[in-house]
């Protein structure tokens, strides 16, 4: 039996691709509290084109999760089902989730939302990879120690009760995730802020 270099290359490529898909999550990061002057914004809804203001979105909610993502990012595609579960399970209890698209044309963003079945609102800040260092997303994550090139996904959590009531800045210290969310940790954090954690010894 003779060895074929071409077949060997194909086999190696397939193996590496399979391992990447199997591992899936390779940029998990913990929920940590950071100093960050996170500002209010008004961006266009990816699906409708209508303007959506973040401060307005937080009204009536107990906790808001803002997730920045690039549609072409495999890490985002891994996290999307987790966020869907959070939305379905905790949306009625006061959790709001909103996605901010980055670094891809609008048609690609729309197609990605449809393909992943994203049920929560999604807006966009940029539409080109060349805008990477011009975005607030880039500035925020760099200020919190995220050294990844693209920073997708990247999370910031807003507690409306702790937000500043007026002005451009919404919050100056809050929790962030510089990478993929750890589902168990994220769920515990959400339950705590929604008042759903059971007190030991009580039902």
């Amino acid at each position: 039996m003779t060895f074929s270099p071409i077949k060997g290359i194909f086999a190696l490529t397939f193996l590496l691709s399979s391992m990447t898909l199997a591992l899936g999550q390779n940029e998990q990061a913990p929920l940590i509290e950071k100093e960050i002057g996170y500002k209010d914004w008004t961006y266009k809804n990816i699906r409708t084109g209508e303007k959506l203001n973040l401060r307005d979105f937080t009204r009536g909610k107990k906790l808001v999760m803002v997730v920045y993502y690039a549609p072409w990012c495999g890490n985002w595609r891994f996290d999307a089902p987790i966020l869907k579960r959070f939305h379905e399970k905790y949306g009625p209890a006061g959790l709001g989730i909103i996605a901010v698209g980055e670094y891809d044309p609008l048609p690609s963003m729309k197609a990605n939302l449809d393909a992943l079945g994203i049920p929560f609102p999604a807006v966009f800040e940029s539409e080109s990879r060349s805008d990477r260092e011009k975005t607030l997303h880039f500035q925020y994550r760099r200020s919190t120690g995220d050294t990844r090139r693209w920073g997708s996904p990247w999370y910031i959590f807003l507690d409306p009760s702790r937000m500043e009531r007026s002005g451009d800045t919404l919050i100056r210290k809050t929790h962030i995730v510089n990478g993929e969310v750890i589902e168990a940790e994220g769920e515990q954090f959400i339950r705590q802020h929604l008042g759903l954690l059971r007190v030991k010894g009580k039902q």
Side-chain angles (χ1 to χ4, degrees):
M1 183 176 179
T2 59
F3 174 75
S4 168
I6 295 177
K7 287 183 179 179
I9 291 171
F10 278 126
L12 180 61
T13 302
F14 177 78
L15 178 63
L16 290 174
S17 298
S18 299
M19 286 176 63
T20 300
L21 288 172
L23 291 172
Q25 50 197 113
N26 54 20
E27 287 186 353
Q28 280 194 324
L31 254 162
I32 53 176
E33 192 171 29
K34 286 282 188 177
E35 300 279 351
I36 180 171
Y38 191 72
K39 298 183 181 298
D40 189 20
W41 48 250
T42 299
Y43 293 143
K44 286 186 177 180
N45 188 302
I46 292 172
R47 297 181 178 101
T48 68
E50 296 177 355
K51 291 182 178 180
L52 193 157
N53 176 259
L54 181 57
R55 188 184 288 277
D56 289 344
F57 180 76
T58 66
R59 291 196 175 99
K61 297 179 177 65
K62 296 179 181 178
L63 181 67
V64 171
M65 175 190 294
V66 182
V67 53
Y68 289 78
Y69 75 99
W72 39 261
C73 174
N75 303 95
W76 155 246
R77 290 194 293 272
F78 185 90
D79 269 19
I82 297 174
L83 301 184
K84 288 168 64 176
R85 289 193 287 272
F86 286 168
H87 174 78
E88 180 179 353
K89 193 171 181 179
Y90 299 111
L95 174 68
I97 303 177
I98 188 163
V100 181
E102 301 281 4
Y103 318 129
D104 216 21
L106 191 57
S108 297
M109 292 190 188
K110 290 179 179 177
N112 177 257
L113 294 177
D114 290 342
L116 295 176
I118 299 300
F120 43 84
V123 299
F124 66 97
E125 181 187 14
S126 66
E127 292 185 78
S128 171
R129 297 194 189 196
S130 63
D131 291 333
R132 182 176 66 93
E133 295 187 14
K134 304 172 188 175
T135 62
L136 287 172
H137 167 233
F138 180 84
Q139 295 176 29
Y140 289 138
R141 64 188 190 82
R142 278 294 188 265
S143 74
T144 59
D146 184 1
T147 59
R148 295 174 298 159
R149 178 168 175 76
W150 294 103
S152 170
W154 182 80
Y155 296 85
I156 183 163
F157 292 82
L158 304 175
D159 179 343
S161 69
R162 295 177 55 200
M163 281 172 29
E164 298 188 9
R165 297 190 179 185
S166 61
D168 292 336
T169 300
L170 293 178
I171 205 158
R172 298 183 187 276
K173 186 176 183 181
T174 191
H175 286 79
I176 58 95
V177 179
N178 285 332
E180 294 177 23
V181 68
I182 299 169
E183 185 170 3
E185 182 182 44
E187 185 159 21
Q188 183 179 20
F189 182 85
I190 290 168
R191 290 181 63 82
Q192 178 183 348
H193 281 75
L194 299 183
L196 299 176
L197 287 182
R198 289 182 178 177
V199 177
K200 194 171 182 180
K202 294 184 179 180
Q203 295 297 322

